[in-house]
Amino acid sequence: MATNQYGKLEVTDLDFDTVKDNFKVFLKQQSVFTDYDFEGSGMSVLMDLLAYNTHYLAFHSNMLANEMFLDTSLNRASAVSHAKAIGYTPVSMKASNASVTITVSNVPTTQTTLTMPAGTIFNSTVDGVNYQFVTIADTTANSTSGIFTFPNVRIYEGTRITFRYVVDSNNLEQRFIIPSNKVDTSTLTVRIQNSSSDTTTTSYSLNTDYTTLNSTSTVYFLQEVEDGKFQVYFGDGVIGKKPTDNNIILLSYVVTNGTGADGANAFTAASSIGGYSSITTLTVTSASGGGDPETVDSIKFNAPLKYASQGRAVTPDDYKSIIPSLYSNIRSIQVWGGEDNDPAIYGRVYISIKPTTGDSLTDSSKAIITDGLKQYNVASVTPVIVDPETLSLVLGVTVKYNSSETEKTSSDIQTLAETTLSTFNTNNLQKFDSVFRHSNLLKALDDTDPSILSSTATVKMKRSITPTLNADTKYTIKFNNPAFHPTANHSQTVVESSGFYLMGNTNLQYIEDDGNGVIRTFYLLGGTTKTITNASAGTVNYVTGEVVLTAFNITSVTNTDGTLSVTLKPDSNDIIPVRNQVIEIDTANSTTAAVVDSYAEGTATAGVGYTTSSSSASVGSVYTTSTSTSTSTSTSSSSSSSSSSSSSSSSSSSSSSSSY
C-alpha cells in the first residue's frame, strides 16, 4: 500500500521509481491535478523533481546514519573520530629501519668521548633506487684508543625534520599539527623549550596511562586529524602539564616512503661524525618494517579490540590489537595460548606474524615486538614469536568447456583458469585461519568463462623441510589434517616425496607409505623397477596427518632450493590450517588443463565414449617392485623423476631431531 488508512504516504521505500509511484497513488485520491499520470505534462516533471529530491535526501540521510557508528562508517574521518572516543589512535606510516654498528677511527687518543647526533645520515640502495636513513637520537661512545664504536644503532628510512611552534594562549585556534601525512609517529620526539631567550628544554613522552597523570606530568597526547596528519596536544594543568605562553614546541620526526626501502642491507655514512670521516658501517639486521598508514577497515577492526584490552595483554585478541601499534608490516597475525600448543607449554603465549613483505619476521623485528609488549604483558606470561609454516597445496585442475560457445582456444581457456587459480590463492588464502574450500575453488573456476561447463581439482598437501645433511636426523612433519586411508593395505600411495640421496647409497631415493602406516624408501632401477631400500624408514599417522622419518642421513637433495618436499593426500579436499599454518596454492607445481567437453559437442552420443575427470589425486604409474627376497607388483606415484646427479660425500654422523 502506498498510503495508509489516513491517506498518508508510506515512506519505507525511498528509491526514485517507488517514490514517484507513491506520488501518483496519492494524487489519484484527489481531483485537482488530473494530469499527474501523463509523462509529458508539467505535473509529471514536478513529480520527477520531487522524487529525485526525496531520493537524494534519503541517500544522504542513510549515509549520515552510517557514519554515526564505527562499524558502518566508510569515511576515514568518521572512523578516526569514533576510534578516538574509545582511546584508539590509528597507526601512522612506518619507516623501514635497520640496525647497524658504526665504527669511527683515526680519532686523537686525547678524545675520550664522541657523540653521533640525531639526524646523522646514511645512504643505501634497493633495486637501483637510492634511500636515505637517519638516526633519531643522540648516541655517545667512549674510547681511550682513538676508535669509537656505536653498537646496534637503529636507523630509519626518510628525512628527519624538526618543526617549531610558539605557544600563544590568545590564539584559541592554535593547534600543534605535524605538517606531513607521511610521518612515522614512532620516531616522534617532543621537547618544550622555555622561550627564545631561554634554551632550556624538557622532553615530553607519549602518554600511555591516564590513571597516573597529575598537574606536573610531562606527557603529550596524539591524535589523527584531517588529511591523515597527526596533532600533538598537551594536558590542561590538571591532567598533564600545560605549556605556557612563549614556550616553544619542538616536534622532531621522520618523514618516510614506507615499504620502499625494505631489504636494504648495505649502508654508508653520508657525512662525517663529530668531524671525523673514517667511518665503517656493519649491518646487524637488514631494513624491514616499512608500512602504509592504517586503513579504515583496520581501524574499525582494531579499535574495539584495543578498547577491550584496556592497556593489557591477556587474551589472544588483546595481543592482536596491540601488536599492530608496535609493528605495522603485518599481513596476518595469529595468537594462541601455550595450553593450545603442540606440545602444551603453560605460561607462554605464542605469536605468529605473516609480514606484508617477506615470508617471516627478521630477528630485529621480533625484538621490537617483544620489547614493546613488555608494558602490556602479565608478569607470569612470556610471549614467544614463531615463524609461519606454509602448508602448500599441489592441485591438478581440469576444466571442460564447450568450444561452440567461444572463440577462445584450449590454451586461452587454460590461461584464464590459471589466472583464476592465482587470484583465488591471493584473495582467499595466504593468511592465518584462511580455510581452503574445495567447492569455492571449483565455483571460481566454473565462473572463469561462460564456455566452461565443469571443473575438477585433485588436492595434495605439501610441506618442504630443509634437511640436516650428513647426519642421522629424525624429522617430524605435521600436516594437521587427516590423510586419505579408506582401508588397510589400500593400493593408493598417500605419502610421496621429492628425490634425495642417502649416505652409502648412490641411487636417487624417494619415500612412500605401505598403506599400513609405515614409511619406506625406494629407488627406481631403469625407471621401471622399484627397489625398496628401507622397508621401515618411518611412520605416518593417517588420523593426525603426521609423518615421521627416523634416522635419515641425507647427503643431498634434488630440489634446487635445498629442501625436501613431502606430500600427503588429504582425507578431505577442504584443508584447515592449525595455529601458525598458512595455506597457499603451489601454483608453480600445480597443473591446469582445459579440454573440450565431448558430450556438449555431441561427439559422445548418449554419453558413449565420454570420459570424466577424477577428483582424486592420481595413483601414479605401475612399477615392478623388488626386494632382497621377493618381487611383486605395486603402484607408486613418485612426485619426481630420476635425477642425473649422485653424492659420494661422507662425514661423521650425529644424532638429532627436527620438527616441522
Side-chain angles (χ1 to χ4, degrees):
M1 291 289 291
T3 59
N4 58 26
Q5 59 180 329
Y6 304 106
K8 304 296 185 180
L9 286 176
E10 297 285 357
V11 292
T12 54
D13 297 313
L14 296 173
D15 62 279
F16 172 82
D17 291 325
T18 303
V19 171
K20 187 173 181 179
D21 289 340
N22 283 347
F23 284 160
K24 290 181 180 180
V25 173
F26 178 76
L27 291 173
K28 189 182 295 184
Q29 301 175 8
Q30 50 78 48
S31 58
V32 178
F33 301 102
T34 57
D35 60 347
Y36 65 88
D37 206 16
F38 176 56
E39 292 298 327
S41 67
M43 191 63 192
S44 180
V45 174
L46 289 175
M47 284 196 298
D48 284 345
L49 292 174
L50 289 171
Y52 276 122
N53 184 68
T54 303
H55 174 69
Y56 289 149
L57 289 175
F59 175 80
H60 287 292
S61 297
N62 183 63
M63 294 298 295
L64 179 62
N66 286 339
E67 299 302 316
M68 294 173 63
F69 303 95
L70 176 61
D71 56 349
T72 57
S73 58
L74 300 176
N75 186 279
R76 183 177 184 89
S78 301
V80 169
S81 179
H82 292 304
K84 180 185 176 183
I86 54 177
Y88 183 80
T89 303
V91 179
S92 69
M93 289 191 71
K94 291 294 183 180
S96 295
N97 60 93
S99 180
V100 295
T101 293
I102 302 160
T103 302
V104 182
S105 55
N106 295 329
V107 181
T109 57
T110 55
Q111 184 168 335
T112 58
T113 63
L114 182 66
T115 298
M116 180 172 59
T120 301
I121 299 173
F122 297 83
N123 294 324
S124 186
T125 302
V126 180
D127 296 330
V129 180
N130 296 323
Y131 291 96
Q132 174 180 289
F133 286 73
V134 294
T135 59
I136 64 171
D138 294 345
T139 308
T140 300
N142 298 312
S143 176
T144 57
S145 59
I147 299 175
F148 293 84
T149 300
F150 301 85
N152 299 317
V153 177
R154 185 69 56 180
I155 56 177
Y156 296 81
E157 184 276 323
T159 303
R160 188 172 185 268
I161 296 173
T162 297
F163 202 83
R164 302 163 62 96
Y165 286 98
V166 178
V167 178
D168 182 3
S169 60
N170 294 320
N171 184 359
L172 300 179
E173 297 182 353
Q174 185 177 40
R175 297 192 299 167
F176 310 123
I177 295 177
I178 301 173
S180 173
N181 58 8
K182 294 185 176 182
V183 62
D184 181 350
T185 58
S186 69
T187 66
L188 174 66
T189 59
V190 178
R191 295 168 296 144
I192 295 184
Q193 182 177 319
N194 289 345
S195 67
S196 59
S197 59
D198 184 355
T199 58
T200 304
T201 60
T202 302
S203 295
Y204 280 58
S205 58
L206 178 65
N207 176 65
T208 58
D209 186 1
Y210 289 89
T211 63
T212 61
L213 299 183
N214 55 42
S215 61
T216 61
S217 299
T218 53
V219 297
Y220 70 91
F221 308 92
L222 193 66
Q223 65 179 356
E224 183 177 325
V225 290
E226 62 272 9
D227 301 324
K229 299 175 182 177
F230 286 84
Q231 176 189 355
V232 173
Y233 61 103
F234 300 89
D236 57 1
V238 179
I239 301 177
K241 187 176 181 178
K242 182 180 180 180
T244 59
D245 280 347
N246 299 317
N247 280 171
I248 300 175
I249 310 297
L250 302 173
L251 307 179
S252 300
Y253 51 87
V254 172
V255 175
T256 180
N257 294 297
T259 60
D262 281 357
N265 57 14
F267 306 91
T268 57
S271 61
S272 62
I273 297 176
Y276 306 102
S277 57
S278 182
I279 303 169
T280 58
T281 305
L282 175 66
T283 302
V284 179
T285 58
S286 301
S288 64
D292 295 324
E294 188 172 8
T295 64
V296 173
D297 287 340
S298 179
I299 295 171
K300 291 159 65 174
F301 178 80
N302 287 318
L305 294 178
K306 186 68 175 291
Y307 176 75
S309 71
Q310 295 295 302
R312 80 287 184 265
V314 177
T315 69
D317 282 345
D318 293 343
Y319 284 93
K320 288 182 179 180
S321 68
I322 292 170
I323 290 175
S325 65
L326 305 174
Y327 184 79
S328 64
N329 183 28
I330 297 175
R331 182 179 183 186
S332 183
I333 183 171
Q334 182 72 294
V335 182
W336 66 98
E339 68 280 3
D340 296 321
N341 197 59
D342 183 21
I345 302 177
Y346 297 93
R348 293 185 179 181
V349 59
Y350 290 88
I351 303 164
S352 190
I353 295 173
K354 183 174 178 61
T356 304
T357 56
D359 296 324
S360 59
L361 299 181
T362 63
D363 290 340
S364 62
S365 296
K366 293 177 181 178
I368 291 173
I369 295 171
T370 53
D371 289 343
L373 286 174
K374 290 179 180 178
Q375 60 182 309
Y376 304 102
N377 283 334
V378 176
S380 60
V381 178
T382 302
V384 178
I385 300 177
V386 298
D387 292 332
E389 295 180 353
T390 300
L391 179 60
S392 301
L393 303 182
V394 181
L395 306 181
V397 173
T398 302
V399 296
K400 289 191 173 184
Y401 71 101
N402 189 345
S403 63
S404 64
E405 294 185 357
T406 181
E407 295 182 354
K408 298 183 179 71
T409 65
S410 175
S411 179
D412 295 334
I413 298 295
Q414 178 180 328
T415 300
L416 290 174
E418 290 172 347
T419 301
T420 297
L421 200 65
S422 178
T423 302
F424 185 90
N425 191 34
T426 301
N427 295 342
N428 297 76
L429 303 174
Q430 298 182 326
K431 294 181 180 180
F432 298 112
D433 294 329
S434 293
V435 177
F436 173 75
R437 302 288 185 186
H438 184 253
S439 62
N440 291 347
L441 173 63
L442 298 185
K443 183 179 184 303
L445 291 168
D446 288 346
D447 294 340
T448 298
D449 190 84
S451 66
I452 294 178
L453 302 173
S454 66
S455 57
T456 58
T458 63
V459 181
K460 289 183 180 180
M461 300 182 293
K462 185 182 79 172
R463 292 287 312 277
S464 295
I465 64 174
T466 302
T468 303
L469 301 181
N470 303 307
D472 288 334
T473 307
K474 177 182 177 182
Y475 301 96
T476 301
I477 307 165
K478 299 178 180 181
F479 291 89
N480 293 317
N481 283 262
F484 176 76
H485 191 242
T487 60
N489 297 309
H490 65 86
S491 61
Q492 185 169 357
T493 302
V494 171
V495 181
E496 303 168 346
S497 77
S498 58
F500 58 93
Y501 290 92
L502 291 172
M503 180 69 70
N505 197 316
T506 60
N507 296 295
L508 181 61
Q509 306 282 322
Y510 304 95
I511 66 171
E512 65 175 9
D513 66 305
D514 65 352
N516 291 300
V518 177
I519 299 295
R520 56 194 182 190
T521 60
F522 69 94
Y523 67 90
L524 297 176
L525 183 63
T528 58
T529 302
K530 182 198 303 178
T531 303
I532 305 296
T533 52
N534 187 348
S536 184
T539 61
V540 52
N541 188 321
Y542 297 111
V543 176
T544 63
E546 180 177 280
V547 176
V548 178
L549 308 178
T550 57
F552 261 45
N553 194 330
I554 297 175
T555 59
S556 65
V557 295
T558 58
N559 286 350
T560 56
D561 62 355
T563 63
L564 174 68
S565 300
V566 178
T567 63
L568 184 74
K569 177 176 169 50
D571 185 57
S572 170
N573 284 336
D574 289 345
I575 311 300
I576 311 294
V578 178
R579 289 181 291 274
N580 59 325
Q581 281 186 328
V582 176
I583 297 175
E584 66 176 28
I585 298 172
D586 184 355
T587 54
N589 292 301
S590 296
T591 60
T592 305
V595 298
V596 175
D597 190 291
S598 60
Y599 190 84
E601 297 284 306
T603 57
T605 306
V608 177
Y610 182 72
T611 303
T612 60
S613 301
S614 174
S615 296
S616 299
S618 60
V619 174
S621 304
V622 176
Y623 300 106
T624 300
T625 303
S626 67
T627 63
S628 58
T629 57
S630 63
T631 301
S632 60
T633 300
S634 66
T635 59
S636 173
S637 55
S638 175
S639 60
S640 300
S641 61
S642 60
S643 172
S644 60
S645 63
S646 63
S647 173
S648 60
S649 63
S650 63
S651 67
S652 59
S653 301
S654 61
S655 179
S656 58
S657 178
S658 298
S659 182
Y660 299 87

